[in-house]
Amino acid sequence: MKTRLLFSLLLVVAPTVHAAATGTAPTAEAAVKRHPLRGVIVAIDAEKSAFRVKHEAIPGVMGAMTMQFKVDATALKIFKAGDPITALMSRQGTAWVLEEVKPAK
Ligand SMILES: [Cu+2]
């Protein structure tokens, strides 16, 4: 009689122990804030995969200045110094990054 009671108790408790949290944590990618940027490529540093860009002010982020941005291999191939561009800029780790780099009119 006593064993039977213990077995019944186990059946009730076991499923609740098995419950797990399945909420998805925000990824680093989702946390990155991107800002529209407009500027002119001053120089290209292929070794660092970077453009030096003289950019217009980005409200709430930074004033107009010339600075270095990491870009992808495609952008490195397509653009040259002197090209006016628009892009999305963001801080990723320790680097400033430009994505969706396009020729500006
Ligand atoms: Cu800047």
Side-chain angles (χ1 to χ4, degrees):
M1 199 63 171
K2 207 167 189 186
T3 11
R4 226 191 148 90
L5 180 66
L6 269 174
F7 186 69
S8 308
L9 269 173
L10 267 176
L11 283 179
V12 173
V13 172
T16 58
V17 173
H18 197 254
T22 51
T24 48
T27 62
E29 175 70 16
V32 171
K33 271 190 185 167
R34 291 171 170 84
H35 306 273
L37 169 145
R38 176 179 284 269
V40 176
I41 299 170
V42 174
I44 292 173
D45 189 335
E47 264 180 38
K48 289 183 183 167
S49 298
F51 286 172
R52 191 163 180 77
V53 177
K54 185 180 181 184
H55 70 77
E56 293 178 3
I58 300 152
V61 184
M62 61 175 81
M65 70 178 81
T66 301
M67 62 185 280
Q68 192 126 310
F69 293 96
K70 291 277 181 196
V71 294
D72 63 24
T74 310
L76 270 179
K77 256 186 258 172
I78 295 172
F79 295 96
K80 59 185 192 305
D83 285 348
I85 55 162
T86 60
L88 290 180
M89 69 137 240
S90 58
R91 181 81 169 165
Q92 296 187 25
T94 57
W96 289 98
V97 176
L98 287 186
E99 293 165 308
E100 295 183 39
V101 185
K102 291 168 187 158
K105 282 152 213 159

